[in-house]
Short mmCIF file of all heavy atoms in Angstrom, two decimals:
data_model
loop_
_atom_site.label_atom_id
_atom_site.label_comp_id
_atom_site.label_asym_id
_atom_site.label_seq_id
_atom_site.Cartn_x
_atom_site.Cartn_y
_atom_site.Cartn_z
N VAL A 310 25.50 0.87 -14.38
CA VAL A 310 24.12 1.27 -14.59
C VAL A 310 24.12 2.45 -15.54
O VAL A 310 24.82 3.44 -15.32
CB VAL A 310 23.44 1.67 -13.26
CG1 VAL A 310 21.99 2.08 -13.50
CG2 VAL A 310 23.52 0.53 -12.25
N VAL A 311 23.35 2.33 -16.62
CA VAL A 311 23.28 3.39 -17.62
C VAL A 311 22.07 4.27 -17.32
O VAL A 311 20.94 3.79 -17.21
CB VAL A 311 23.16 2.80 -19.04
CG1 VAL A 311 23.14 3.93 -20.08
CG2 VAL A 311 24.31 1.84 -19.31
N LEU A 312 22.32 5.58 -17.21
CA LEU A 312 21.25 6.52 -16.89
C LEU A 312 20.72 7.20 -18.14
O LEU A 312 21.35 7.17 -19.20
CB LEU A 312 21.75 7.56 -15.89
CG LEU A 312 22.33 7.00 -14.58
CD1 LEU A 312 22.81 8.13 -13.68
CD2 LEU A 312 21.31 6.12 -13.86
N ALA A 313 19.57 7.84 -18.00
CA ALA A 313 18.89 8.44 -19.15
C ALA A 313 19.70 9.57 -19.78
O ALA A 313 19.52 9.89 -20.96
CB ALA A 313 17.52 8.96 -18.72
N ASP A 314 20.58 10.20 -19.02
CA ASP A 314 21.40 11.27 -19.58
C ASP A 314 22.68 10.76 -20.23
O ASP A 314 23.54 11.53 -20.64
CB ASP A 314 21.74 12.31 -18.51
CG ASP A 314 22.53 11.70 -17.34
OD1 ASP A 314 22.89 10.51 -17.41
OD2 ASP A 314 22.76 12.43 -16.35
N GLY A 315 22.81 9.43 -20.33
CA GLY A 315 23.96 8.83 -20.99
C GLY A 315 25.12 8.50 -20.06
O GLY A 315 26.07 7.82 -20.47
N SER A 316 25.06 8.95 -18.83
CA SER A 316 26.15 8.66 -17.89
C SER A 316 26.08 7.22 -17.42
O SER A 316 25.01 6.58 -17.43
CB SER A 316 26.10 9.62 -16.71
OG SER A 316 24.86 9.50 -16.02
N ARG A 317 27.22 6.71 -16.97
CA ARG A 317 27.32 5.35 -16.45
C ARG A 317 27.91 5.40 -15.04
O ARG A 317 28.93 6.06 -14.83
CB ARG A 317 28.20 4.48 -17.36
CG ARG A 317 27.51 4.07 -18.65
CD ARG A 317 28.49 3.46 -19.64
NE ARG A 317 27.82 2.77 -20.73
CZ ARG A 317 27.22 3.38 -21.75
NH1 ARG A 317 27.22 4.71 -21.81
NH2 ARG A 317 26.62 2.67 -22.69
N ILE A 318 27.27 4.72 -14.13
CA ILE A 318 27.75 4.69 -12.76
C ILE A 318 27.90 3.24 -12.31
O ILE A 318 27.29 2.33 -12.89
CB ILE A 318 26.81 5.44 -11.80
CG1 ILE A 318 25.41 4.83 -11.82
CG2 ILE A 318 26.74 6.93 -12.19
CD1 ILE A 318 24.45 5.48 -10.82
N SER A 319 28.72 3.02 -11.27
CA SER A 319 28.97 1.66 -10.78
C SER A 319 28.73 1.59 -9.28
O SER A 319 29.68 1.51 -8.48
CB SER A 319 30.41 1.23 -11.11
OG SER A 319 30.64 1.23 -12.49
N PRO A 320 27.48 1.64 -8.85
CA PRO A 320 27.19 1.55 -7.41
C PRO A 320 27.47 0.16 -6.88
O PRO A 320 27.49 -0.82 -7.63
CB PRO A 320 25.70 1.89 -7.33
CG PRO A 320 25.16 1.45 -8.65
CD PRO A 320 26.25 1.73 -9.65
N ASP A 321 27.69 0.08 -5.59
CA ASP A 321 27.89 -1.24 -4.96
C ASP A 321 26.57 -2.01 -4.89
O ASP A 321 26.56 -3.24 -4.89
CB ASP A 321 28.45 -1.07 -3.54
CG ASP A 321 29.80 -0.39 -3.53
OD1 ASP A 321 30.63 -0.70 -4.42
OD2 ASP A 321 30.03 0.44 -2.64
N ALA A 322 25.47 -1.28 -4.79
CA ALA A 322 24.16 -1.93 -4.69
C ALA A 322 23.10 -1.05 -5.32
O ALA A 322 23.19 0.18 -5.29
CB ALA A 322 23.81 -2.20 -3.23
N VAL A 323 22.08 -1.69 -5.90
CA VAL A 323 20.94 -0.99 -6.49
C VAL A 323 19.68 -1.47 -5.79
O VAL A 323 19.43 -2.67 -5.70
CB VAL A 323 20.83 -1.26 -8.01
CG1 VAL A 323 19.60 -0.58 -8.58
CG2 VAL A 323 22.09 -0.81 -8.73
N ILE A 324 18.89 -0.52 -5.28
CA ILE A 324 17.63 -0.84 -4.62
C ILE A 324 16.51 -0.26 -5.47
O ILE A 324 16.42 0.96 -5.64
CB ILE A 324 17.58 -0.26 -3.20
CG1 ILE A 324 18.73 -0.84 -2.36
CG2 ILE A 324 16.24 -0.58 -2.54
CD1 ILE A 324 18.87 -0.20 -0.99
#
Side-chain angles (χ1 to χ4, degrees):
V310 180
V311 182
L312 304 180
D314 60 6
S316 60
R317 285 169 166 76
I318 60 176
S319 299
D321 298 320
V323 177
I324 300 173

